[in-house]
Amino acid sequence: MSLPHPDTTATPGTCDLPDSLPPTEAVSVRRHVGAVASERSDTVAVESPVALVFNGLSHAVMMATPTDLEALGLGFALSEGLITGRDECRDIEVMAHARGCEVHMTVSSRAFAALKDRKRSLEGRTGCGLCGIDSLAQLDLQPTERVTGQPPIPADVVLRAFAALPARQALNARTGACHAAGWATPAGELLDVAEDVGRHNALDKLLGRRALAGRLGEPGFVVMSSRASYELVRKSVRLQVGTLAAISAPTSLAIDIARQSGLQLYGFCRGEQAVDYTALAPLG
């Protein structure tokens, strides 16, 4: 499909998706409660291979929930720096197969030339942001991007968004297996939530939805139902997200890169508590 013009009024997340690969499936289980066992049907999240193909060249294969795949592809391309803006992605087409899905993207000649120069295998992306790197020399741990013009978000505003998150996690309520990434306004109103079995995928889907709707540059912040990894910080910084807040802990590398990049990073956002890891200068 051709991408909508940036002034589109389309609702995020309404792109045509392959209906042959639903996000959940039913399985038969035996449930044990104390000494009592019973047979029943449970709903589980689907985890499917998704290949991202740029101008006919396969770049990455990841395990993902097969929903919002156009948003996933565009969000990945933007947050990984494969394209510099949504105008460099001219077309997206999702193809469903018996063994998974392919997201075919047509990108500019400049982006494709750069992609071929840096191509690497990223198989198994849900588990690690560095899978497929051949040597330590390929590590990209010194961020060149910086967040600019994004004011910090107060903790009470962050917690307001988190309070609204569980009610928007429909897939996780059914399966207990999905992460969520949410977009909130500077006042803490939760506008959109994307879900996936992988936290990186959930963030890419969220950012891709906003890019498809021409709303990526609007003020706001991201909340995550996961830990805060270095990869989530890098993706956020690349797309000028000023604040990233997670329900669990950040890693040391996530904190280091957030501080270097000017991103406000929260962790342990639960109930009435939140920890700002970037408000103070490093110790020592």
Side-chain angles (χ1 to χ4, degrees):
M1 67 170 286
S2 297
L3 292 183
H5 193 269
D7 63 358
T8 180
T9 57
T11 302
T14 58
C15 302
D16 292 335
L17 295 171
D19 55 12
S20 60
L21 292 177
T24 65
E25 66 179 44
V27 297
S28 298
V29 301
R30 177 171 293 162
R31 175 160 294 185
H32 297 264
V33 180
V36 179
S38 60
E39 295 183 0
R40 55 171 291 176
S41 176
D42 264 8
T43 300
V44 298
V46 170
E47 188 174 26
S48 175
V50 176
L52 302 184
V53 183
F54 295 86
N55 293 15
L57 179 67
S58 182
H59 175 72
V61 178
M62 62 191 68
M63 302 305 296
T65 304
T67 59
D68 288 334
L69 295 185
E70 291 170 356
L72 173 63
L74 180 59
F76 178 91
L78 287 165
S79 70
E80 291 294 317
L82 304 180
I83 59 176
T84 58
R86 64 184 297 276
D87 59 325
E88 284 202 293
C89 186
R90 312 290 166 73
D91 187 75
I92 306 177
E93 183 179 5
V94 175
M95 298 181 181
H97 304 282
R99 298 180 62 183
C101 294
E102 293 180 349
V103 182
H104 288 259
M105 286 170 278
T106 303
V107 299
S108 69
S109 56
R110 185 218 63 81
F112 186 56
L115 176 67
K116 288 191 293 185
D117 286 342
R118 61 183 286 185
K119 185 180 183 300
R120 57 183 171 132
S121 171
L122 296 174
E123 199 163 8
R125 191 67 183 215
T126 56
C128 171
L130 301 176
C131 298
I133 282 181
D134 295 325
S135 68
L136 292 176
Q138 291 181 280
L139 291 176
D140 179 21
L141 303 183
Q142 296 298 321
T144 57
E145 307 93 346
R146 284 192 59 84
V147 175
T148 58
Q150 302 288 350
I153 303 295
D156 63 321
V157 173
V158 169
L159 293 174
R160 188 176 307 142
F162 267 101
L165 186 60
R168 302 285 294 273
Q169 294 178 252
L171 273 178
N172 193 60
R174 295 171 62 191
T175 66
C178 290
H179 285 297
W183 183 271
T185 69
E189 180 187 1
L190 192 63
L191 296 182
D192 193 14
V193 175
E195 292 184 276
D196 197 278
V197 291
R199 62 185 183 275
H200 305 114
N201 299 338
L203 180 58
D204 282 336
K205 286 180 178 181
L206 177 71
L207 298 175
R209 279 185 190 177
R210 298 195 65 77
L212 285 169
R215 304 182 66 179
L216 194 56
E218 292 182 0
F221 63 97
V222 168
V223 295
M224 298 287 307
S225 67
S226 67
R227 66 182 176 90
S229 64
Y230 116 93
E231 185 92 0
L232 297 181
V233 170
R234 290 303 305 272
K235 286 176 178 289
S236 298
V237 170
R238 284 190 182 105
L239 296 186
Q240 290 296 296
V241 175
T243 298
L244 174 66
I247 200 169
S248 294
T251 65
S252 63
L253 188 55
I255 297 169
D256 289 345
I257 292 181
R259 287 175 170 173
Q260 292 177 55
S261 304
L263 177 136
Q264 183 184 33
L265 179 62
Y266 280 98
F268 290 111
C269 297
R270 303 175 182 181
E272 297 182 355
Q273 76 164 19
V275 180
D276 188 338
Y277 287 86
T278 49
L280 303 177
L283 296 176

